[in-house]
Amino acid sequence: MTVSIPEPVVAAPTPTPLPVASPVPRLAPALIGRPGSAQTVYVPCPEFCTDNHSVDRQVAVEDITHGSDMFSVSVPTMAAPDTDHYMLFARVSSDPASEDPRMRAAHVLVGDCSAEDAYLTPGMTDEAAADLIAFAMRMKDLARTARAAHLPAA
């Protein structure tokens, strides 16, 4: 009698999702006051926040903002291979003392190292991410075209 042993099924790895922030903040130490007279106080800090408020001294409690870890993508250039020609970064952010309720709520901050950042609602972030995915796929098409048309340097 022949016994067949089935091949093991190997599932494709699934990416680890970012944690979903809890609406219940934790209390975190924060260094507040002027140099030489700063005090440690405890402030509500959202779960997504990775800022170290006990090191980054602020003059007043209302100066504290919250942010997640930042991630970025850079675009090099063959004209200066050791230099990032463009850089784009993003993080979850919140400014609890802002007069604008949209800035008090958790939102996504996107920047490019210029003076102005973009502040996106979660819906805006989803739309921007879809556009960036389409842009990246089009870039891959451009790379294939350039690779196929590669001509030796004159």
Side-chain angles (χ1 to χ4, degrees):
M1 171 179 220
T2 305
V3 176
S4 65
I5 301 173
E7 291 291 320
V9 176
V10 179
T14 55
T16 304
L18 292 173
V20 175
S22 167
V24 179
R26 67 186 187 284
L27 290 178
L31 190 58
I32 304 296
R34 301 203 181 281
S37 64
Q39 301 288 317
T40 299
V41 300
Y42 286 81
V43 296
C45 194
E47 188 175 315
F48 67 80
C49 184
T50 58
D51 293 341
N52 188 344
H53 303 299
S54 65
V55 173
D56 182 21
R57 182 187 55 78
Q58 299 296 325
V59 173
V61 172
E62 58 267 19
D63 296 332
I64 294 174
T65 61
H66 301 287
S68 69
D69 286 337
M70 191 178 304
F71 67 94
S72 65
V73 63
S74 59
V75 178
T77 177
M78 63 184 179
D82 295 332
T83 304
D84 291 334
H85 194 68
Y86 297 108
M87 184 166 70
L88 196 63
F89 61 86
R91 72 186 296 195
V92 176
S93 185
S94 172
D95 183 353
S98 175
E99 292 180 12
D100 185 338
R102 299 170 300 174
M103 296 297 284
R104 288 193 303 263
H107 57 276
V108 176
L109 181 148
V110 178
D112 63 357
C113 299
S114 66
E116 295 294 323
D117 293 323
Y119 305 98
L120 289 71
T121 65
M124 293 168 73
T125 304
D126 287 337
E127 289 177 22
D131 290 345
L132 288 168
I133 290 167
F135 181 82
M137 296 308 294
R138 183 67 179 125
M139 281 184 69
K140 289 180 79 67
D141 291 341
L142 295 173
R144 279 191 290 274
T145 299
R147 195 172 288 113
H150 185 75
L151 302 173

